Amino acid sequence: MAKISSELQTAIDYLKRGDVIGIPTETVYGLAGNAFSEDAVLKIFTTKNRPSFDPLIVHVADVESINKIATYVSPAMEKLMQAFSPGPLTYLLPKKANISDLITSGLPNVAIRIPNHPLTLELLQQIDFPLAAPSANPFGYVSPTSPQHVEHQLGTKIPYILDGGTCQIGLESTIIGEQDGQLTVYRLGGLSIEQLEEVAGKVIVNDFSSSNPKAPGMLKSHYAPSKKIRLLDSQNLQDRNVGFIGFQQFHPDIPPENQLLLSENGSVEEAAKNLFATLREVENLNGDEVFVRLLPETGLGRAINDRLRRAAAH
Ligand code: TXA
Ligand code: MG
């Protein structure tokens, strides 16, 4: 059993000792360790059961700290940092030698972000090393958006979870890099394409549907919940013992008690915040299959649909 507490000093003590712990961010909970300690980084991989080809995101307190681990920040990336840090945006930047190949899986770039959570920002300010932190779930499973989710899946493997409440955004960060001088999104996430383009102009979206070398972790089948998730198109659900996840409205052919809604008042932001907790709840529904209706492909709807498609890929 991991201890769940909002005591900052305990978190600092564990991290300084080279332990890995759960930390809150505005997107999802992270499994954090000292990015400058090979032992701590190895511990992250083994705790998550994560393959070594899937690189880690490094978390820092401020833009100044980014320059200590990246060799170059282009004017376009600089502009994004000014607009969106701290926030749910991760930058792919050429790494300095102080970032090990273990963290980047041998890639020349390191993924860096400044999380927008008061407790974790305070934590990052009080330590003199960055935190490597993937989402705090076993590899291939749904990301955690509460300390209880972390406890449920990794509680026997880690000593401590820093309690920062429920994650405000609920989707992992958007990942952005540059390819041939063009801003390119490698993972849809908590910062929408519309928000990005308002500041940066047109960006390329490279949200691969299968394994790809630039964002090796974006495997097609991911976020696997305990039941078979199926996307709703024209199937007839009448008289079928299946569950349903709706955005705002129940499906007319299924008993409401066997359904879950992402946002009763139709807010995409609320749907994002509820998504992963809802995917965990499908085990309480009757039937072996759960159908889900995709959201409109705008704003965070696009990232939500990306996660739903991965959850439905078998
Ligand atoms: O919101 C988030 O980003 C959360 C919180 C904890 O910060 N973290 C997170 O980490 O989602 P993780 O490890 O579950 O997903 C990070 C993904 C990797 O799977 C990989 O696709 C990509 O980021 N990534 C990391 N380092 C990279 C690199 N050097 N080059 C390309 N892609 C990289
Ligand atoms: Mg993850």
Side-chain angles (χ1 to χ4, degrees):
M1 291 291 268
K3 186 180 174 198
I4 301 177
S5 158
S6 55
E7 246 175 56
L8 209 54
Q9 192 54 49
T10 313
I12 293 170
D13 293 343
Y14 276 120
L15 291 168
K16 281 188 172 164
R17 249 182 271 152
D19 279 316
V20 303
I21 63 168
I23 59 161
T25 83
E26 81 281 31
T27 59
V28 301
Y29 270 73
L31 182 66
N34 178 351
F36 291 156
S37 155
E38 287 227 330
D39 280 352
V41 172
L42 278 172
K43 237 185 249 179
I44 292 172
F45 280 97
T46 52
T47 304
K48 256 190 83 101
N49 220 344
R50 183 181 180 108
S52 60
F53 60 74
D54 193 3
L56 306 178
I57 295 178
V58 175
H59 298 69
V60 296
D62 44 40
V63 175
E64 216 171 76
S65 308
I66 291 181
N67 295 312
K68 293 182 188 156
I69 54 176
T71 55
Y72 175 70
V73 177
S74 72
M77 290 290 237
E78 177 80 44
K79 195 171 169 192
L80 290 176
M81 281 173 199
Q82 295 307 333
F84 298 118
S85 289
L89 186 61
T90 294
Y91 312 94
L92 294 181
L93 300 168
K95 78 176 191 72
K96 279 194 174 164
N98 57 3
I99 294 296
S100 71
D101 286 336
L102 215 52
I103 287 181
T104 65
S105 302
L107 295 168
N109 288 333
V110 56
I112 308 175
R113 98 177 180 96
I114 305 173
N116 190 16
H117 190 289
L119 205 52
T120 293
L121 278 177
E122 177 75 31
L123 171 67
L124 286 165
Q125 273 150 15
Q126 291 199 26
I127 53 183
D128 56 3
F129 48 85
L131 291 177
S135 53
N137 51 282
F139 183 71
Y141 288 85
V142 178
S143 295
T145 51
S146 76
Q148 288 70 32
H149 293 164
V150 182
E151 161 66 26
H152 182 66
Q153 286 183 310
L154 296 177
T156 58
K157 296 183 170 178
I158 57 175
Y160 193 68
I161 301 163
L162 184 62
D163 186 353
T166 303
C167 299
Q168 286 305 306
I169 290 184
L171 294 172
E172 301 90 343
S173 60
T174 300
I175 299 179
I176 195 153
E178 283 172 302
Q179 202 168 4
D180 307 322
Q182 295 221 277
L183 288 173
T184 306
V185 168
Y186 293 101
R187 177 173 73 179
L188 296 167
L191 190 78
S192 72
I193 299 300
E194 289 89 335
Q195 284 172 293
L196 267 175
E197 292 191 332
E198 212 170 289
V199 168
K202 199 88 193 126
V203 299
I204 294 169
V205 180
N206 222 339
D207 59 334
F208 295 82
S209 60
S210 62
S211 180
N212 75 82
K214 273 283 157 54
M218 295 306 285
L219 302 177
K220 192 171 180 207
S221 173
H222 220 78
Y223 305 98
S226 57
K227 271 186 197 184
K228 192 164 181 185
I229 302 286
R230 299 191 52 188
L231 302 181
L232 182 73
D233 46 69
S234 57
Q235 303 95 338
N236 184 355
L237 300 186
Q238 237 164 4
D239 303 319
R240 288 186 60 180
N241 180 25
V242 295
F244 187 77
I245 299 175
F247 172 33
Q248 185 179 12
Q249 279 171 336
F250 289 122
H251 192 289
D253 297 338
I254 299 170
E257 60 273 16
N258 211 37
Q259 303 192 47
L260 300 164
L261 291 182
L262 293 173
S263 169
E264 275 176 40
N265 51 38
S267 148
V268 185
E269 286 72 27
E270 190 184 22
K273 195 173 163 177
N274 289 333
L275 178 68
F276 290 148
T278 304
L279 286 177
R280 283 164 192 263
E281 279 173 45
V282 298
E283 62 182 288
N284 303 321
L285 298 179
N286 293 323
D288 297 331
E289 295 179 332
V290 178
F291 281 82
V292 58
R293 195 195 299 277
L294 294 178
L295 275 67
E297 290 273 345
T298 56
L300 290 185
R302 204 163 157 182
I304 294 173
N305 289 346
D306 169 84
R307 303 305 188 267
L308 289 174
R309 289 193 183 98
R310 288 175 205 279
H314 305 286

